[in-house]
Amino acid sequence: MKLVLLGPPGAGKGTQAVLLAEHFGGPHISTGDILRRHVAEKTDLGKKAEKYIREGKLVPDDLVIEMVRTRLRQKDARKGFILDGFPRNREQATALDGMTKVDAALLLFLDPEDLIKRSTGRRVCENCEAVYHLLTNPPKKPGFCDRCHSKLIVREDDREETVRRRIEVYEEQTKPLVSYYKTKGLLVQVYGSGIIDEIFERVIEALSQRKR
Ligand code: AMP
């Protein structure tokens, strides 16, 4: 399954992507995670990307497109992948079409008033990047990762002001991709509110209906 995930920040794309990757057996490719790793490791790409990420803006297309092209060439991504956070605009979507043919674009949508609440409750593990949410997916021991027991932190770009900016960027640049994939007959839409396992069931059901 070559799947693209669409949806505003806070819609639960990362969480569903992990489950989908387990289910279908391909890698979960999160451009946000890859970029943050570059920033942490202070690579050339990381140095260029840092200020955009901090401000909730898109990292320039040429940088991100090349990064994804390299990642999709790796062996584990040949048969399938879950692409989370890419494409983010029309230019990236066209570039992706030139790299491979995706099977579906899954849109996780939410009520607008849920968005800020969801994004600002997110906590991530400073060590293994596992994602939690104070409301929908709290860790067993408050403040610590269930998997590796390291400290949970608020991502710098999850501060409220940055979240608002990221939602604006989504509305302006990424939302038009919903009709882009709809026109191609690839769009699958799922309501992203509720319990994680229930949302996942809805996702699998919606994807299997598409195939019939
Ligand atoms: P995410 O974890 O997907 O919310 O991404 C966090 C930040 O990384 C975004 O706010 C952007 O600054 C940057 N980013 C991630 N994916 C992309 C992309 N496809 N194009 C441009 N910037 C991106």
Side-chain angles (χ1 to χ4, degrees), residues 79-140:
K79 289 210 184 103
F81 49 77
I82 310 298
L83 205 40
D84 164 14
F86 184 94
R88 283 278 231 280
N89 59 22
R90 191 64 188 256
E91 182 138 5
Q92 295 181 10
T94 316
L96 180 62
D97 287 344
M99 296 177 213
T100 189
K101 190 176 170 304
V102 302
D103 297 307
L106 172 70
L107 169 68
L108 288 173
F109 65 94
L110 276 183
D111 301 321
E113 59 272 26
D114 268 358
L115 278 182
I116 297 269
K117 211 166 63 193
R118 295 263 302 238
S119 294
T120 52
R122 177 157 61 182
R123 298 291 179 273
V124 293
C125 174
E126 66 177 359
N127 175 47
C128 76
E129 289 169 1
V131 179
Y132 299 87
H133 196 283
L134 298 183
L135 300 175
T136 56
N137 180 30
K140 292 199 184 83

Side-chain angles (χ1 to χ4, degrees), residues 8 13 72 75 80 82 87 119 122 156 164 166 197 200 208:
K13 294 191 296 296
L72 291 187
K75 204 170 165 197
I82 310 298
S119 294
R122 177 157 61 182
E156 203 184 342
R164 285 187 194 281
R166 288 167 61 212
D197 290 347
F200 184 61
S208 66

Side-chain angles (χ1 to χ4, degrees), residues 31 35-36 53 57 59 85-86 88 92 155 157 166:
T31 46
L35 286 166
R36 279 186 289 277
I53 298 176
K57 295 180 184 160
V59 174
F86 184 94
R88 283 278 231 280
Q92 295 181 10
R155 253 169 48 182
D157 59 341
R166 288 167 61 212

